[in-house]
Amino acid sequence: MDITRRQLGTLVGAALLTPYLPARRAAAALAWQLMWAPEASSVGLGAFETIEDDRADSHPAGQPHIFAEGNNFRFNMHTVDRDTMTDRQRQEVTGTRNPSGYLQWLKGETWRVTYSMFIPSSLKATTTFTHISQTKMPGTGGLPITTTSLRRVNGVQTIEHTIYEQGILVGRTNLEPLQDKWIDAEYEIKIGDGSAGSVRWVLRDGSTTLVDATKTGDTFLGDRVRPKWGIYRSLGDTSGSLQNCYMLLTNMRAYKQVQVTATRLEAENATISQGVVESNHAGYSGTGFVNSDNVAGAYTQWGFQQGTAGPATLTIRYANGTSANRPMDVTVNGTVVASGLSFAGTGAWTTWASKTVNATLVAGANTVRLTATTANGCPNLDYLDITGP
Ligand code: GCU
């Protein structure tokens, strides 16, 4: 039976709603908890654990080389700047600091960092190393764990991310199309020894994703992992690329992956329009899944109560054994929050995948409806997980 919002509105009180609510249970889910979101204009360099601004004091006239400029963090590099090891230059910040202290990124944890960066054409890729971000174990002298670097490959300027010691290239793309504009970087580091570690690196130019790659590799040396940003480069470049330059960073965010409890609503308990419950493809949760008719407009709708209003993550588990996309509209309380969201083939009807959508829920009764927007119908639907508020 379909409960429309209008009908729901005529029902009074949770007790009356209860018979129409699907079975729900708690499920463990992973979520990203925002841990660090410094605004350069207010916290300045207090965003970081330490500042390595011309630590050899090689160029006092150029100091500060690192500072907040508007809402950006700015790193200036002059050709005369020298690090304590004089074959290289370094203007870097380390770590992620909140008013209550710096964050510790520990073995077994997974962290995600996102930020926007501006690489001017004066900051060029070199034949030897030019790192613009690293992760390291605290202390001087240790090797990097991961690096984002501007490297010349066969004469072409590129930007790359590596798991350093094992020489694992996570991803690489051409640098020149990305200079003199804001681009967005994202990386995730699962901190572990050997194959327990992994890194994901994403680089976007506006809505275009240039790299989204994940590689397994050792991401733990000892103690803890600490990120660094800035310009750290060798003077050994043979391409004539070293000149006065700078880099800007903004919108820096760090998230830690945490276990949270989600409410799981099985599709087989939902309101189904133009579809049936089946159980012939293994791997589903609960007692089955919904196989919608192959028509536009077929939908599955869940109704549920929320204690508090606020942002939530909706996780949709599905399988699509065809090679054709099966887009759906995601409608929350009557408003489309994701239009024609793509649900691409998963390889087999027994291969289940998840897609997340952010939505704002109200206190009290809520509905989430997934509606096929093409004649292919919906993918097979297993469940809806609701995480937060
Ligand atoms: C097959 C498959 C179903 C699926 C259907 C479809 O019949 O067994 O589970 O729903 O294809 O294309 O929608």
PDB file of all heavy atoms in Angstrom, residues 26-53:
ATOM      1  N   ALA A  26      19.497  -1.343  13.527  1.00  0.00           N
ATOM      2  CA  ALA A  26      20.748  -0.602  13.510  1.00  0.00           C
ATOM      3  C   ALA A  26      21.786  -1.365  12.711  1.00  0.00           C
ATOM      4  O   ALA A  26      21.811  -2.588  12.727  1.00  0.00           O
ATOM      5  CB  ALA A  26      21.237  -0.387  14.935  1.00  0.00           C
ATOM      6  N   ALA A  27      22.612  -0.653  11.986  1.00  0.00           N
ATOM      7  CA  ALA A  27      23.682  -1.290  11.230  1.00  0.00           C
ATOM      8  C   ALA A  27      24.931  -0.439  11.391  1.00  0.00           C
ATOM      9  O   ALA A  27      24.845   0.780  11.490  1.00  0.00           O
ATOM     10  CB  ALA A  27      23.297  -1.371   9.759  1.00  0.00           C
ATOM     11  N   ALA A  28      26.076  -1.093  11.423  1.00  0.00           N
ATOM     12  CA  ALA A  28      27.328  -0.344  11.512  1.00  0.00           C
ATOM     13  C   ALA A  28      27.587   0.311  10.167  1.00  0.00           C
ATOM     14  O   ALA A  28      27.378  -0.304   9.129  1.00  0.00           O
ATOM     15  CB  ALA A  28      28.471  -1.278  11.881  1.00  0.00           C
ATOM     16  N   ALA A  29      27.986   1.542  10.195  1.00  0.00           N
ATOM     17  CA  ALA A  29      28.287   2.237   8.942  1.00  0.00           C
ATOM     18  C   ALA A  29      29.515   3.103   9.167  1.00  0.00           C
ATOM     19  O   ALA A  29      29.878   3.395  10.308  1.00  0.00           O
ATOM     20  CB  ALA A  29      27.097   3.089   8.527  1.00  0.00           C
ATOM     21  N   LEU A  30      30.142   3.481   8.073  1.00  0.00           N
ATOM     22  CA  LEU A  30      31.304   4.353   8.171  1.00  0.00           C
ATOM     23  C   LEU A  30      30.887   5.752   7.757  1.00  0.00           C
ATOM     24  O   LEU A  30      30.101   5.924   6.838  1.00  0.00           O
ATOM     25  CB  LEU A  30      32.423   3.856   7.258  1.00  0.00           C
ATOM     26  CG  LEU A  30      33.062   2.534   7.679  1.00  0.00           C
ATOM     27  CD1 LEU A  30      34.020   2.042   6.611  1.00  0.00           C
ATOM     28  CD2 LEU A  30      33.799   2.690   9.007  1.00  0.00           C
ATOM     29  N   ALA A  31      31.394   6.729   8.471  1.00  0.00           N
ATOM     30  CA  ALA A  31      31.082   8.112   8.120  1.00  0.00           C
ATOM     31  C   ALA A  31      32.349   8.950   8.258  1.00  0.00           C
ATOM     32  O   ALA A  31      33.301   8.541   8.923  1.00  0.00           O
ATOM     33  CB  ALA A  31      29.992   8.638   9.039  1.00  0.00           C
ATOM     34  N   TRP A  32      32.358  10.100   7.623  1.00  0.00           N
ATOM     35  CA  TRP A  32      33.497  11.017   7.730  1.00  0.00           C
ATOM     36  C   TRP A  32      33.158  12.108   8.733  1.00  0.00           C
ATOM     37  O   TRP A  32      32.196  12.850   8.538  1.00  0.00           O
ATOM     38  CB  TRP A  32      33.809  11.635   6.375  1.00  0.00           C
ATOM     39  CG  TRP A  32      34.301  10.639   5.388  1.00  0.00           C
ATOM     40  CD1 TRP A  32      33.613  10.095   4.348  1.00  0.00           C
ATOM     41  CD2 TRP A  32      35.602  10.052   5.351  1.00  0.00           C
ATOM     42  NE1 TRP A  32      34.409   9.207   3.663  1.00  0.00           N
ATOM     43  CE2 TRP A  32      35.626   9.162   4.260  1.00  0.00           C
ATOM     44  CE3 TRP A  32      36.747  10.189   6.137  1.00  0.00           C
ATOM     45  CZ2 TRP A  32      36.753   8.414   3.932  1.00  0.00           C
ATOM     46  CZ3 TRP A  32      37.872   9.446   5.800  1.00  0.00           C
ATOM     47  CH2 TRP A  32      37.874   8.566   4.715  1.00  0.00           C
ATOM     48  N   GLN A  33      33.936  12.175   9.768  1.00  0.00           N
ATOM     49  CA  GLN A  33      33.707  13.196  10.791  1.00  0.00           C
ATOM     50  C   GLN A  33      34.660  14.362  10.539  1.00  0.00           C
ATOM     51  O   GLN A  33      35.883  14.178  10.478  1.00  0.00           O
ATOM     52  CB  GLN A  33      33.972  12.593  12.176  1.00  0.00           C
ATOM     53  CG  GLN A  33      33.647  13.544  13.292  1.00  0.00           C
ATOM     54  CD  GLN A  33      33.863  12.899  14.656  1.00  0.00           C
ATOM     55  OE1 GLN A  33      33.971  11.669  14.773  1.00  0.00           O
ATOM     56  NE2 GLN A  33      33.942  13.726  15.674  1.00  0.00           N
ATOM     57  N   LEU A  34      34.085  15.547  10.382  1.00  0.00           N
ATOM     58  CA  LEU A  34      34.917  16.737  10.130  1.00  0.00           C
ATOM     59  C   LEU A  34      35.739  17.057  11.373  1.00  0.00           C
ATOM     60  O   LEU A  34      35.194  17.237  12.462  1.00  0.00           O
ATOM     61  CB  LEU A  34      34.032  17.928   9.769  1.00  0.00           C
ATOM     62  CG  LEU A  34      34.767  19.234   9.464  1.00  0.00           C
ATOM     63  CD1 LEU A  34      35.664  19.104   8.237  1.00  0.00           C
ATOM     64  CD2 LEU A  34      33.779  20.378   9.269  1.00  0.00           C
ATOM     65  N   MET A  35      37.072  17.109  11.206  1.00  0.00           N
ATOM     66  CA  MET A  35      37.960  17.322  12.354  1.00  0.00           C
ATOM     67  C   MET A  35      38.685  18.661  12.283  1.00  0.00           C
ATOM     68  O   MET A  35      39.188  19.147  13.287  1.00  0.00           O
ATOM     69  CB  MET A  35      39.020  16.211  12.409  1.00  0.00           C
ATOM     70  CG  MET A  35      38.464  14.810  12.494  1.00  0.00           C
ATOM     71  SD  MET A  35      37.577  14.503  14.027  1.00  0.00           S
ATOM     72  CE  MET A  35      38.952  14.424  15.189  1.00  0.00           C
ATOM     73  N   TRP A  36      38.777  19.238  11.087  1.00  0.00           N
ATOM     74  CA  TRP A  36      39.644  20.412  10.918  1.00  0.00           C
ATOM     75  C   TRP A  36      39.140  21.221   9.734  1.00  0.00           C
ATOM     76  O   TRP A  36      38.933  20.663   8.652  1.00  0.00           O
ATOM     77  CB  TRP A  36      41.060  19.892  10.664  1.00  0.00           C
ATOM     78  CG  TRP A  36      42.155  20.885  10.505  1.00  0.00           C
ATOM     79  CD1 TRP A  36      42.682  21.714  11.448  1.00  0.00           C
ATOM     80  CD2 TRP A  36      42.929  21.092   9.313  1.00  0.00           C
ATOM     81  NE1 TRP A  36      43.730  22.424  10.916  1.00  0.00           N
ATOM     82  CE2 TRP A  36      43.904  22.060   9.616  1.00  0.00           C
ATOM     83  CE3 TRP A  36      42.894  20.553   8.030  1.00  0.00           C
ATOM     84  CZ2 TRP A  36      44.837  22.503   8.673  1.00  0.00           C
ATOM     85  CZ3 TRP A  36      43.818  20.988   7.092  1.00  0.00           C
ATOM     86  CH2 TRP A  36      44.780  21.959   7.420  1.00  0.00           C
ATOM     87  N   ALA A  37      38.859  22.493   9.961  1.00  0.00           N
ATOM     88  CA  ALA A  37      38.327  23.344   8.898  1.00  0.00           C
ATOM     89  C   ALA A  37      38.807  24.784   9.123  1.00  0.00           C
ATOM     90  O   ALA A  37      38.020  25.688   9.374  1.00  0.00           O
ATOM     91  CB  ALA A  37      36.801  23.277   8.875  1.00  0.00           C
ATOM     92  N   PRO A  38      40.112  24.996   9.048  1.00  0.00           N
ATOM     93  CA  PRO A  38      40.646  26.321   9.383  1.00  0.00           C
ATOM     94  C   PRO A  38      40.346  27.355   8.299  1.00  0.00           C
ATOM     95  O   PRO A  38      40.416  27.043   7.112  1.00  0.00           O
ATOM     96  CB  PRO A  38      42.150  26.069   9.466  1.00  0.00           C
ATOM     97  CG  PRO A  38      42.385  24.962   8.475  1.00  0.00           C
ATOM     98  CD  PRO A  38      41.160  24.084   8.564  1.00  0.00           C
ATOM     99  N   GLU A  39      40.007  28.546   8.709  1.00  0.00           N
ATOM    100  CA  GLU A  39      39.854  29.652   7.768  1.00  0.00           C
ATOM    101  C   GLU A  39      41.091  30.527   7.926  1.00  0.00           C
ATOM    102  O   GLU A  39      41.360  31.042   9.021  1.00  0.00           O
ATOM    103  CB  GLU A  39      38.583  30.453   8.078  1.00  0.00           C
ATOM    104  CG  GLU A  39      37.294  29.660   7.888  1.00  0.00           C
ATOM    105  CD  GLU A  39      37.092  29.154   6.463  1.00  0.00           C
ATOM    106  OE1 GLU A  39      37.579  29.806   5.524  1.00  0.00           O
ATOM    107  OE2 GLU A  39      36.468  28.085   6.306  1.00  0.00           O
ATOM    108  N   ALA A  40      41.817  30.707   6.850  1.00  0.00           N
ATOM    109  CA  ALA A  40      43.070  31.471   6.931  1.00  0.00           C
ATOM    110  C   ALA A  40      42.829  32.865   7.486  1.00  0.00           C
ATOM    111  O   ALA A  40      43.635  33.387   8.259  1.00  0.00           O
ATOM    112  CB  ALA A  40      43.716  31.548   5.552  1.00  0.00           C
ATOM    113  N   SER A  41      41.694  33.465   7.120  1.00  0.00           N
ATOM    114  CA  SER A  41      41.446  34.858   7.526  1.00  0.00           C
ATOM    115  C   SER A  41      41.220  34.976   9.030  1.00  0.00           C
ATOM    116  O   SER A  41      41.436  36.039   9.602  1.00  0.00           O
ATOM    117  CB  SER A  41      40.231  35.406   6.775  1.00  0.00           C
ATOM    118  OG  SER A  41      39.111  34.578   7.020  1.00  0.00           O
ATOM    119  N   SER A  42      40.828  33.917   9.697  1.00  0.00           N
ATOM    120  CA  SER A  42      40.612  34.038  11.139  1.00  0.00           C
ATOM    121  C   SER A  42      41.698  33.347  11.968  1.00  0.00           C
ATOM    122  O   SER A  42      42.204  33.927  12.921  1.00  0.00           O
ATOM    123  CB  SER A  42      39.216  33.537  11.529  1.00  0.00           C
ATOM    124  OG  SER A  42      39.009  32.232  11.043  1.00  0.00           O
ATOM    125  N   VAL A  43      42.097  32.140  11.619  1.00  0.00           N
ATOM    126  CA  VAL A  43      43.101  31.457  12.463  1.00  0.00           C
ATOM    127  C   VAL A  43      44.524  31.624  11.940  1.00  0.00           C
ATOM    128  O   VAL A  43      45.485  31.354  12.650  1.00  0.00           O
ATOM    129  CB  VAL A  43      42.804  29.947  12.645  1.00  0.00           C
ATOM    130  CG1 VAL A  43      41.480  29.750  13.323  1.00  0.00           C
ATOM    131  CG2 VAL A  43      42.869  29.195  11.336  1.00  0.00           C
ATOM    132  N   GLY A  44      44.684  32.086  10.700  1.00  0.00           N
ATOM    133  CA  GLY A  44      46.021  32.268  10.135  1.00  0.00           C
ATOM    134  C   GLY A  44      46.826  30.978  10.217  1.00  0.00           C
ATOM    135  O   GLY A  44      46.286  29.878  10.056  1.00  0.00           O
ATOM    136  N   LEU A  45      48.111  31.132  10.515  1.00  0.00           N
ATOM    137  CA  LEU A  45      48.991  29.956  10.532  1.00  0.00           C
ATOM    138  C   LEU A  45      48.775  29.087  11.765  1.00  0.00           C
ATOM    139  O   LEU A  45      49.384  28.012  11.895  1.00  0.00           O
ATOM    140  CB  LEU A  45      50.456  30.403  10.433  1.00  0.00           C
ATOM    141  CG  LEU A  45      50.806  31.154   9.141  1.00  0.00           C
ATOM    142  CD1 LEU A  45      52.283  31.529   9.121  1.00  0.00           C
ATOM    143  CD2 LEU A  45      50.435  30.349   7.897  1.00  0.00           C
ATOM    144  N   GLY A  46      47.883  29.533  12.670  1.00  0.00           N
ATOM    145  CA  GLY A  46      47.482  28.686  13.796  1.00  0.00           C
ATOM    146  C   GLY A  46      46.779  27.417  13.336  1.00  0.00           C
ATOM    147  O   GLY A  46      46.511  26.525  14.142  1.00  0.00           O
ATOM    148  N   ALA A  47      46.485  27.322  12.034  1.00  0.00           N
ATOM    149  CA  ALA A  47      45.868  26.122  11.471  1.00  0.00           C
ATOM    150  C   ALA A  47      46.810  24.921  11.496  1.00  0.00           C
ATOM    151  O   ALA A  47      46.362  23.789  11.354  1.00  0.00           O
ATOM    152  CB  ALA A  47      45.450  26.396  10.023  1.00  0.00           C
ATOM    153  N   PHE A  48      48.097  25.187  11.667  1.00  0.00           N
ATOM    154  CA  PHE A  48      49.086  24.109  11.485  1.00  0.00           C
ATOM    155  C   PHE A  48      49.835  23.823  12.786  1.00  0.00           C
ATOM    156  O   PHE A  48      49.859  24.643  13.704  1.00  0.00           O
ATOM    157  CB  PHE A  48      50.059  24.496  10.355  1.00  0.00           C
ATOM    158  CG  PHE A  48      49.328  24.848   9.083  1.00  0.00           C
ATOM    159  CD1 PHE A  48      49.191  26.175   8.693  1.00  0.00           C
ATOM    160  CD2 PHE A  48      48.724  23.866   8.323  1.00  0.00           C
ATOM    161  CE1 PHE A  48      48.487  26.516   7.545  1.00  0.00           C
ATOM    162  CE2 PHE A  48      48.014  24.187   7.169  1.00  0.00           C
ATOM    163  CZ  PHE A  48      47.894  25.517   6.778  1.00  0.00           C
ATOM    164  N   GLU A  49      50.485  22.667  12.789  1.00  0.00           N
ATOM    165  CA  GLU A  49      51.207  22.253  13.999  1.00  0.00           C
ATOM    166  C   GLU A  49      52.553  22.974  14.088  1.00  0.00           C
ATOM    167  O   GLU A  49      52.918  23.475  15.154  1.00  0.00           O
ATOM    168  CB  GLU A  49      51.397  20.727  13.946  1.00  0.00           C
ATOM    169  CG  GLU A  49      51.974  20.118  15.196  1.00  0.00           C
ATOM    170  CD  GLU A  49      52.102  18.591  15.062  1.00  0.00           C
ATOM    171  OE1 GLU A  49      51.295  17.975  14.324  1.00  0.00           O
ATOM    172  OE2 GLU A  49      53.007  18.025  15.687  1.00  0.00           O
ATOM    173  N   THR A  50      53.289  23.034  12.992  1.00  0.00           N
ATOM    174  CA  THR A  50      54.551  23.779  12.971  1.00  0.00           C
ATOM    175  C   THR A  50      54.675  24.504  11.626  1.00  0.00           C
ATOM    176  O   THR A  50      54.058  24.118  10.630  1.00  0.00           O
ATOM    177  CB  THR A  50      55.798  22.858  13.121  1.00  0.00           C
ATOM    178  OG1 THR A  50      55.940  22.091  11.923  1.00  0.00           O
ATOM    179  CG2 THR A  50      55.671  21.924  14.312  1.00  0.00           C
ATOM    180  N   ILE A  51      55.496  25.536  11.625  1.00  0.00           N
ATOM    181  CA  ILE A  51      55.728  26.335  10.411  1.00  0.00           C
ATOM    182  C   ILE A  51      57.221  26.279  10.103  1.00  0.00           C
ATOM    183  O   ILE A  51      58.040  26.586  10.973  1.00  0.00           O
ATOM    184  CB  ILE A  51      55.333  27.824  10.644  1.00  0.00           C
ATOM    185  CG1 ILE A  51      53.972  27.952  11.330  1.00  0.00           C
ATOM    186  CG2 ILE A  51      55.388  28.627   9.344  1.00  0.00           C
ATOM    187  CD1 ILE A  51      52.811  27.422  10.544  1.00  0.00           C
ATOM    188  N   GLU A  52      57.561  25.859   8.902  1.00  0.00           N
ATOM    189  CA  GLU A  52      58.973  25.845   8.498  1.00  0.00           C
ATOM    190  C   GLU A  52      59.165  26.951   7.457  1.00  0.00           C
ATOM    191  O   GLU A  52      59.212  26.691   6.256  1.00  0.00           O
ATOM    192  CB  GLU A  52      59.352  24.467   7.944  1.00  0.00           C
ATOM    193  CG  GLU A  52      59.290  23.396   9.032  1.00  0.00           C
ATOM    194  CD  GLU A  52      59.461  21.981   8.512  1.00  0.00           C
ATOM    195  OE1 GLU A  52      59.059  21.686   7.366  1.00  0.00           O
ATOM    196  OE2 GLU A  52      60.000  21.151   9.265  1.00  0.00           O
ATOM    197  N   ASP A  53      59.194  28.190   7.963  1.00  0.00           N
ATOM    198  CA  ASP A  53      59.365  29.365   7.109  1.00  0.00           C
ATOM    199  C   ASP A  53      60.845  29.720   7.138  1.00  0.00           C
ATOM    200  O   ASP A  53      61.344  30.205   8.145  1.00  0.00           O
ATOM    201  CB  ASP A  53      58.502  30.516   7.655  1.00  0.00           C
ATOM    202  CG  ASP A  53      58.576  31.771   6.775  1.00  0.00           C
ATOM    203  OD1 ASP A  53      59.662  32.056   6.220  1.00  0.00           O
ATOM    204  OD2 ASP A  53      57.558  32.461   6.661  1.00  0.00           O
TER     205      ASP A  53
END
